[in-house]
């Protein structure tokens, strides 16, 4: 079963709206979660690393004020796309690594992603 | 330099045949992990197989095997007895164990299985 839950799966909203996407680790505590953006037929682009209890680390070129990340608990990280515009339309996907067990062979577990469409 | 390189944007394979998806990587970290993920059109990322840099044997998981050639820095995915449901995007990824939890992904290979 899924170990990382992402909600919502689909969002369609008007330009100027802020949209919040939730990412939950279901049976482990994740001090670190990752947020990716993916354009059609392209690879995952890391947007930011979400750190529980501290500020997120954003990748170069990602607007911090546009993409607000909050990691308020060990099982929940949220990505808020503020004042969304059509160019923000994309597939957003989160991931987390189970810290239990051997570190090196732990895969990243992904949520099912959120398809965001801004009209 | 790219951490992960996948040189095959698209591949076709006949049903029931085997197919190899290429992946090369670049790291100076002595300890690292290599991963393959499958992404069907629905979008979810499905973990397939893992190979550690110190593993002596090639990893296998059912119909998936990883052809790990450390000296060449390659970690090709072999899918045996292809099925129609194998049609998807496949991503190779790497984590460098001493530089954090971040995964580096390749550009992906789109596999189409032909009946």
């Amino acid at each position: 079963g899924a170990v990382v839950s992402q909600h919502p799966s689909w969002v369609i909203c008007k330009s100027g709206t802020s949209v919040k996407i939730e990412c939950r680790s279901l049976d482990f505590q994740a001090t670190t979660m990752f947020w990716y953006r993916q354009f059609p037929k392209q690879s995952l682009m890391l947007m930011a690393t979400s750190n529980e209890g501290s500020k997120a680390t954003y990748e170069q070129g990602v607007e911090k004020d546009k993409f607000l990340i909050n990691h308020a608990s060990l099982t929940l990280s949220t990505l808020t796309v503020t004042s969304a515009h059509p160019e923000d339309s994309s597939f957003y996907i989160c991931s987390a690594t189970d810290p239990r067990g051997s570190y090196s062979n732990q895969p990243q577990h992904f949520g099912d992603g959120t398809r965001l469409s801004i009209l | 330099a790219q951490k992960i390189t996948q040189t095959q944007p698209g591949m076709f394979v006949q049903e029931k045949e085997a197919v190899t998806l290429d992946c090369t990587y670049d790291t100076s970290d002595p300890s690292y992990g290599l991963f393959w993920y499958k992404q069907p059109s629905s979008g979810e990322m499905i973990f397939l197989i893992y190979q550690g840099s110190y593993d002596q044997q090639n990893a296998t998981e059912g119909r998936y095997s990883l052809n790990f050639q450390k000296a060449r820095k390659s970690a090709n995915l072999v899918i045996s007895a292809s099925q129609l449901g194998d049609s998807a995007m496949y991503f190779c990824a790497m984590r460098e164990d001493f530089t954090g939890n971040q995964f580096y992904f390749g550009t992906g290979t789109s596999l189409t299985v032909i009946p």
Side-chain angles (χ1 to χ4, degrees), chain A residues 20-88:
Chain A
K20 179 184 282 188
I21 303 170
E22 293 187 347
C23 181
R24 294 180 184 273
S25 57
L26 298 182
D27 59 358
F28 63 92
Q29 294 182 330
T31 54
T32 304
M33 291 185 176
F34 300 93
W35 287 97
Y36 296 88
R37 181 174 182 176
Q38 187 180 29
F39 292 102
K41 300 189 184 300
Q42 294 189 23
S43 187
L44 281 72
M45 180 185 74
L46 179 65
M47 299 175 65
T49 302
S50 175
N51 305 301
E52 188 271 335
S54 65
K55 291 182 179 180
T57 305
Y58 289 83
E59 294 300 301
Q60 192 172 14
V62 177
E63 297 178 61
K64 301 178 185 180
D65 296 332
K66 161 67 79 174
F67 300 101
L68 298 179
I69 291 173
N70 186 289
H71 196 148
S73 77
L74 285 170
T75 59
L76 174 65
S77 175
T78 60
L79 168 67
T80 301
V81 184
T82 61
S83 187
H85 292 285
E87 58 266 28
D88 299 323

Side-chain angles (χ1 to χ4, degrees), chain B residues 14-33:
Chain B
Q14 203 75 38
E15 193 178 6
K16 299 181 183 178
E17 293 188 351
V19 63
T20 298
L21 306 183
D22 294 342
C23 173
T24 57
Y25 60 93
D26 182 29
T27 181
S28 56
D29 198 320
S31 180
Y32 51 89

Side-chain angles (χ1 to χ4, degrees), chain B residues 35-68:
Chain B
F35 303 79
W36 277 91
Y37 286 85
K38 172 184 178 181
Q39 187 180 39
S41 57
S42 51
E44 71 270 28
M45 292 285 284
I46 303 168
F47 165 65
L48 297 178
I49 196 167
Y50 161 84
Q51 180 83 43
S53 57
Y54 292 117
D55 293 344
Q56 295 296 314
Q57 294 190 330
N58 288 340
T60 59
E61 286 287 347
R63 293 187 299 110
Y64 304 109
S65 61
L66 203 152
N67 184 359
F68 181 45

Side-chain angles (χ1 to χ4, degrees), chain B residues 2-115:
Chain B
Q2 292 289 328
K3 292 277 188 182
I4 295 286
T5 302
Q6 294 180 255
T7 58
Q8 306 155 314
M11 290 282 286
F12 292 87
V13 64
Q14 203 75 38
E15 193 178 6
K16 299 181 183 178
E17 293 188 351
V19 63
T20 298
L21 306 183
D22 294 342
C23 173
T24 57
Y25 60 93
D26 182 29
T27 181
S28 56
D29 198 320
S31 180
Y32 51 89
L34 297 158
F35 303 79
W36 277 91
Y37 286 85
K38 172 184 178 181
Q39 187 180 39
S41 57
S42 51
E44 71 270 28
M45 292 285 284
I46 303 168
F47 165 65
L48 297 178
I49 196 167
Y50 161 84
Q51 180 83 43
S53 57
Y54 292 117
D55 293 344
Q56 295 296 314
Q57 294 190 330
N58 288 340
T60 59
E61 286 287 347
R63 293 187 299 110
Y64 304 109
S65 61
L66 203 152
N67 184 359
F68 181 45
Q69 298 188 42
K70 195 171 183 177
R72 294 185 177 183
K73 293 189 174 179
S74 73
N76 299 338
L77 176 70
V78 180
I79 305 174
S80 62
S82 296
Q83 301 172 357
L84 296 178
D86 294 334
S87 295
M89 282 290 290
Y90 288 81
F91 292 98
C92 180
M94 176 178 67
R95 179 180 58 214
E96 297 168 317
D97 292 342
F98 295 144
T99 56
N101 210 359
Q102 181 180 346
F103 274 46
Y104 299 95
F105 286 89
T107 51
T109 296
S110 176
L111 177 67
T112 302
V113 180
I114 304 167

